[in-house]
């Protein structure tokens, strides 16, 4: 009975932990951008990863809104066989220097991707690639993304993290920009050196959520492994059938104190000597009885 109860407890705890892990994975479905860090004034190729979280409905349209406060001279959506892009332009007040076109007065305001047909089974998240540059002289770029589903539902990913809400419900993808001197200057600390603060682009240190998710997964995996080891040790523990009772050694053995049998032809008691007076008979108790004449 104890063996069966222990098995049920281990199974219940394992199922609970697994359910918690799966629930956490489903709750963290969002939109991400990679890499999460680039250099001011340089070029970048960004991949926006859009998840699917409304099955059986699927995403039919994705709109990327470029930040108005940080315009980029040139923005190009990369080709994708499953998505057809369409760009919308806007004028800027100040002329910007481009990479291929010199000075520009119009920049991309938004890009709308439309899915070409229904997705294949198990297609997974959409990954849309955009090349842009030169990047503005600012510390970050916050993008807004609008996701439209086949059932008509629309999700706006436009909530940047803040000190009041570090993990909003619908987080907007954010690209951090570092000054050129801090990113690749001669005085910048080498990666991995003491005092280096700027990690390499795309690592877990750049994305706090990614680092936290890896730590939680490790903790959950360690908990499940610990429960399995504890159960195995418990089931392998030797069991005793009861308290052993000491048995008295048989008569005549070395461990007992039973009286020794007299040898044939020897008296049973020293009091009954062979020279006892006539008319008396010796007994094993050492008492003599006189016989009647």
């Amino acid at each position: 009975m104890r063996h069966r109860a222990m098995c049920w407890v281990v199974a219940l705890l394992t199922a609970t932990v697994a359910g918690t892990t799966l629930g956490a994975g489903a709750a963290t479905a969002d939109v991400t951008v990679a890499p999460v860090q680039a250099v001011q004034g340089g070029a970048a190729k960004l991949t926006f990863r859009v998840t699917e979280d409304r099955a059986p409905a699927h995403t039919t349209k994705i709109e990327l809104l470029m930040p108005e406060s940080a315009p980029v001279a040139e923005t190009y959506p990369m080709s994708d066989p499953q998505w057809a892009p369409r760009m919308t332009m806007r004028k800027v007040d100040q002329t910007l220097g481009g990479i291929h076109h010199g000075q520009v007065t119009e920049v991309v305001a938004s890009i709308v991707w439309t899915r070409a047909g229904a997705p294949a089974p198990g297609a997974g998240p959409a990954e849309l690639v955009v090349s842009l540059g030169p990047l503005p002289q600012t510390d970050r770029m916050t993008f807004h993304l609008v996701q439209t589903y086949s059932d008509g539902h629309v999700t706006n990913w436009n909530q940047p993290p803040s000190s009041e809400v570090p993990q909003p419900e619908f987080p907007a993808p954010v690209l951090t920009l570092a000054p050129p001197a801090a990113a690749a200057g001669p005085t910048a600390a080498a990666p991995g050196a003491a005092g280096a603060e700027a990690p390499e682009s795309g690592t877990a240190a750049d994305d706090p959520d990614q680092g936290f998710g890896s730590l939680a997964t490790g903790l959950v995996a360690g908990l499940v492994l610990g429960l399995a080891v504890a159960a195995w040790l418990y089931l392998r523990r030797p069991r005793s059938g009861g308290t052993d009772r000491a048995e008295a050694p048989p008569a005549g053995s070395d461990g007992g104190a039973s009286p020794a049998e007299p040898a044939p032809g020897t008296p049973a008691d020293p009091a009954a000597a062979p020279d006892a007076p006539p008319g008396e008979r010796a007994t094993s108790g050492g008492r003599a009885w006189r016989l009647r004449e």
Side-chain angles (χ1 to χ4, degrees):
M1 182 64 69
R2 182 179 299 178
H3 169 79
R4 181 176 298 179
M6 186 62 185
C7 291
W8 276 107
V9 169
V10 173
L12 180 61
L13 290 176
T14 304
T16 302
V17 173
T20 303
T21 305
L22 293 176
T28 56
D30 52 12
V31 174
T32 59
V33 60
V36 296
Q37 186 177 19
V39 181
Q40 298 175 3
K45 180 179 289 186
L46 306 180
T47 300
F48 293 89
R49 189 172 188 269
V50 184
T51 59
E52 299 279 0
D53 56 356
R54 290 183 57 84
H58 61 273
T59 303
T60 58
K61 186 173 64 174
I62 298 173
E63 182 178 6
L64 176 66
L65 302 176
M66 302 292 293
E68 293 185 2
S69 60
V72 180
E74 299 182 35
T75 303
Y76 306 102
M78 299 291 98
S79 61
D80 190 306
Q82 298 296 324
W83 299 89
R86 178 172 55 85
M87 295 184 296
T88 301
M89 309 297 292
R90 69 178 179 92
K91 290 187 175 294
V92 291
D93 299 334
Q94 185 177 2
T95 302
L96 301 176
I99 298 177
H100 304 91
H101 301 288
Q103 303 296 316
V104 298
T105 57
E106 287 188 344
V107 298
V108 174
S110 66
I111 304 174
V112 177
W113 288 272
T114 303
R115 187 188 290 272
E127 294 186 351
L128 306 175
V129 182
V130 176
S131 293
L132 66 166
L135 297 176
Q137 304 294 323
T138 183
D139 59 347
R140 65 177 54 191
M141 294 180 65
T142 302
F143 302 91
H144 293 178
L145 194 142
V146 182
Q147 183 179 11
T148 304
Y149 292 87
S150 57
D151 59 358
H153 179 81
V154 177
T155 302
N156 290 281
W157 304 94
N158 56 2
Q159 300 175 356
S162 61
S163 56
E164 294 80 9
V165 185
Q167 295 182 352
E169 183 178 3
F170 300 100
V174 178
L175 175 67
T176 302
L177 299 178
T187 59
E197 297 182 357
E200 293 184 2
S201 177
T203 61
D206 295 329
D207 191 353
D209 294 338
Q210 181 180 355
F212 178 79
S214 300
L215 177 60
T217 304
L219 291 176
V220 172
L223 177 60
V224 174
L225 179 60
L227 290 174
V229 172
W232 182 81
L233 293 176
Y234 181 85
L235 298 179
R236 295 282 295 178
R237 186 184 63 176
R239 293 184 174 86
S240 59
T243 304
D244 295 331
R245 298 181 179 179
E247 297 181 356
S253 64
D254 295 338
S258 59
E261 292 291 335
T266 59
D269 195 288
D275 55 352
E280 295 184 356
R281 183 177 62 182
T283 62
S284 62
R287 300 174 60 185
W289 296 85
R290 186 178 295 277
L291 300 177
R292 296 182 181 181
E293 297 178 356

